[in-house]
Amino acid sequence: MTREHGETDSGVADPAMVLVAHGTRNPRGVEMIAALAEAVSERVATVRVAFVDVLGPSPSEVLASMDGEAVVVPAFLASGYHVHTDVPREVAGFDGVEVTSAMGPDPALARVLALRLREAGWQPGDAVVLAAAGSSDARALHDVRRAAGLLADRVGSRVSIGYVATGEPRVADVVTQLRAAGEQRVFVASYLLAHGLFHERLAHAGADGVAAPLGLHTEIVDLLVSRYHAGASRLARVRAA
C-alpha cells in the first residue's frame, strides 16, 4: 500500500510536531521562529509552535487543542531548566506525546556557527568567543562547553566561552581578557537561535565582529526534522508494543 503524506506505514496519522521555543518580545525573533516552523512544515505534516516564557501559547495549551499523537521538540541549544523542568511539566498528563532531546549541542550547530563567523568577517587565527545565554543549571553549562569544543574543531583553534545573561564570565569580560593576552582580532559567535535582547547585548561586547544568531538555515531545519523523526519512531514502537 502506498503511504500518503501525513500517514504512517500502519495507516495511522503521523504525529504532529510541537516546536517549543523560549519566546522573545523582539519581532525579528518571533518572525524567525515562525519561518523556521514553516520550513520544517514542508517536511513534517503538522507543525505547531509553543513558548515556555514571554509569549504564548504554552506547550500545554497547544497540546490541549490537538487530537492525536505529538512529538515535542525543544528548540533550545542547551538542556537547562526549561528543558528539564518547564517542558516536562507542560506535557505531563497528555497521552501519546514524546519529548525529544534539545537541539544542542550538535555538530550541525557548530557548522552553522562557523558559517556565521565567516559571514561576520572572521578569519583563521582570529580569536573566538562563544556567547551563550547562560544558565544556573550545571547540565546546560556542560552542554555549552561541548558546543564550544565542537566549534573549536570547526575553526581549528581554541574557543573561549562567555555568557550574556546568567553566569560568569560575561562576554565583554572575555573579549577584554583576550585582547590583554595579545589577540589582535576577536569575534563573537552568537550561540543563540534568534534575534532578541540577548543578541542585541553582544553589540556592546567590544569585539571586532559579532556573528548573526544561528537563525534559519538548512542545517537547522534538518536537525529539527531529525529530532522529530526520532521522537515519532519512539511513539511508533510504543504503539506497536
Side-chain angles (χ1 to χ4, degrees):
M1 181 176 67
T2 301
R3 175 179 171 178
E4 299 295 331
H5 179 66
E7 184 179 274
T8 67
D9 292 330
S10 63
V12 178
D14 282 336
M17 174 178 173
V18 180
L19 181 66
V20 181
H22 181 276
T24 175
R25 293 184 179 87
N26 186 298
R28 291 182 66 189
V30 177
E31 291 167 3
M32 199 288 296
I33 295 298
L36 192 58
E38 182 176 355
V40 173
S41 70
E42 296 179 3
R43 297 165 59 185
V44 175
T46 301
V47 180
R48 300 281 299 276
V49 175
F51 300 97
V52 295
D53 200 4
V54 181
L55 302 174
S58 67
S60 60
E61 290 171 334
V62 170
L63 291 170
S65 70
M66 296 169 53
D67 294 321
E69 298 176 330
V71 175
V72 175
V73 181
F76 291 89
L77 305 179
S79 296
Y81 182 85
H82 292 307
V83 173
H84 290 292
T85 302
D86 282 341
V87 173
R89 181 182 63 242
E90 288 284 327
V91 306
F94 289 97
D95 295 325
V97 175
E98 179 70 29
V99 180
T100 75
S101 57
M103 291 177 63
D106 192 275
L109 300 180
R111 291 192 290 270
V112 179
L113 284 168
L115 171 64
R116 298 291 185 234
L117 278 170
R118 290 193 293 271
E119 292 171 345
W122 173 88
Q123 298 178 2
D126 295 338
V128 176
V129 180
L130 181 70
S135 174
S136 58
D137 191 311
R139 293 167 294 189
L141 300 182
H142 174 72
D143 283 352
V144 173
R145 290 192 293 271
R146 287 180 56 204
L150 291 169
L151 179 57
D153 290 341
R154 298 296 303 178
V155 301
S157 61
R158 179 176 178 272
V159 171
S160 302
I161 297 173
Y163 297 103
V164 185
T166 303
E168 299 289 343
R170 295 304 175 108
V171 175
D173 293 335
V174 177
V175 172
T176 299
Q177 291 166 7
L178 288 169
R179 293 203 188 283
E183 296 290 352
Q184 296 300 306
R185 288 177 20 117
V186 181
F187 282 77
V188 172
S190 180
Y191 196 50
L192 301 167
L193 188 58
H195 285 277
L197 176 62
F198 291 169
H199 183 76
E200 291 171 0
R201 291 177 181 174
L202 298 180
H204 307 290
D208 293 281
V210 177
L214 289 160
L216 184 61
H217 188 277
T218 302
E219 293 255 25
I220 305 296
V221 175
D222 289 345
L223 178 60
L224 290 170
V225 172
S226 175
R227 293 284 191 268
Y228 165 80
H229 283 307
S233 295
R234 288 193 292 272
L235 278 174
R237 290 195 294 271
V238 170
R239 191 189 313 120

